[in-house]
Amino acid sequence: SEYQLKAGLFNPMYSEDYAKETWWHQLYNLPQKMCTIQSWHDTGAELYKNFDFDKWSLPVYLELLGGNSDRNIDNNENKMVLLHVAPELFQTKLRLLGSFAYGKWDNKDKQGTVRTDLGFDWKYQKFNLRGEYIYSSFENKVIPSTGTSPVGDGVNKGYWVRAIYT
């Protein structure tokens, strides 16, 4: 029944690898497009609580973010809300990861932005398999090279899978 509260400038719990700075060297050297959609630094507050059950647990992160610390997120005073859950099953051998964030990105507080992340982390003896699918969209954003209209819904998406044997 313990809660943890974090406030300040930090990596929100959107992509767990990036937020926890796991495999930091590999993340630092990701292809630029992948790094752009996975990276996220912001100011705000994070409330964390782990719910324990008989055979599984449910870590939950709820964040209220300023949205003004990352050029890819926001340029207004409106806040962004982020929910991240990571159910742990089979004595933490399998973790499912899910994030959903919503806010406004434009300086008139009219255009919405959504960011989602779905992933897994599976461990078996010395083998570990991890992966994430990351998606973000920005309503009515200027998009270079779209042809007739320079404005449209800006969408970034990508995935990664990593296998490790130790």
Side-chain angles (χ1 to χ4, degrees):
S1 64
E2 291 184 18
Y3 290 87
Q4 293 178 5
L5 180 64
K6 176 169 53 173
L9 176 64
F10 56 91
N11 296 340
M13 191 58 76
Y14 168 62
S15 163
E16 283 209 2
D17 267 16
Y18 198 86
K20 293 180 179 178
E21 298 183 3
T22 314
W23 312 104
W24 195 247
H25 178 73
Q26 288 88 340
L27 288 171
Y28 182 77
N29 293 295
L30 279 173
Q32 184 176 4
K33 287 197 179 251
M34 192 65 201
C35 191
T36 299
I37 62 174
Q38 189 174 20
S39 65
W40 189 351
H41 307 285
D42 213 330
T43 55
E46 172 187 274
L47 182 63
Y48 167 77
K49 167 88 171 123
N50 188 35
F51 298 92
D52 287 316
F53 302 97
D54 286 341
K55 298 187 183 229
W56 63 289
S57 67
L58 180 63
V60 176
Y61 300 81
L62 181 61
E63 301 180 4
L64 182 62
L65 303 167
N68 58 3
S69 298
D70 184 342
R71 63 181 173 79
N72 295 314
I73 302 302
D74 205 342
N75 66 357
N76 61 37
E77 297 297 320
N78 204 338
K79 304 302 180 213
M80 178 170 269
V81 177
L82 169 67
L83 175 66
H84 177 77
V85 295
E88 299 177 349
L89 310 166
F90 310 111
Q91 294 83 35
T92 71
K93 291 178 184 163
L94 176 64
R95 294 178 55 238
L96 304 175
L97 314 170
S99 295
F100 179 80
Y102 179 79
K104 302 289 184 184
W105 71 266
D106 66 316
N107 60 5
K108 294 180 181 176
D109 289 335
K110 292 185 178 185
Q111 307 302 327
T113 181
V114 172
R115 294 186 77 168
T116 60
D117 185 309
L118 298 172
F120 67 93
D121 183 0
W122 177 64
K123 296 176 183 171
Y124 179 74
Q125 296 177 357
K126 295 182 178 185
F127 183 72
N128 181 220
L129 186 64
R130 295 180 57 108
E132 291 182 1
Y133 174 78
I134 304 166
Y135 174 90
S136 64
S137 70
F138 301 86
E139 291 177 342
N140 296 317
K141 192 165 186 165
V142 174
I143 303 171
S145 306
T146 58
T148 59
S149 174
V151 177
D153 290 343
V155 173
N156 292 314
K157 57 187 172 181
Y159 65 91
W160 60 267
V161 176
R162 180 181 303 126
I164 303 161
Y165 182 83
T166 53

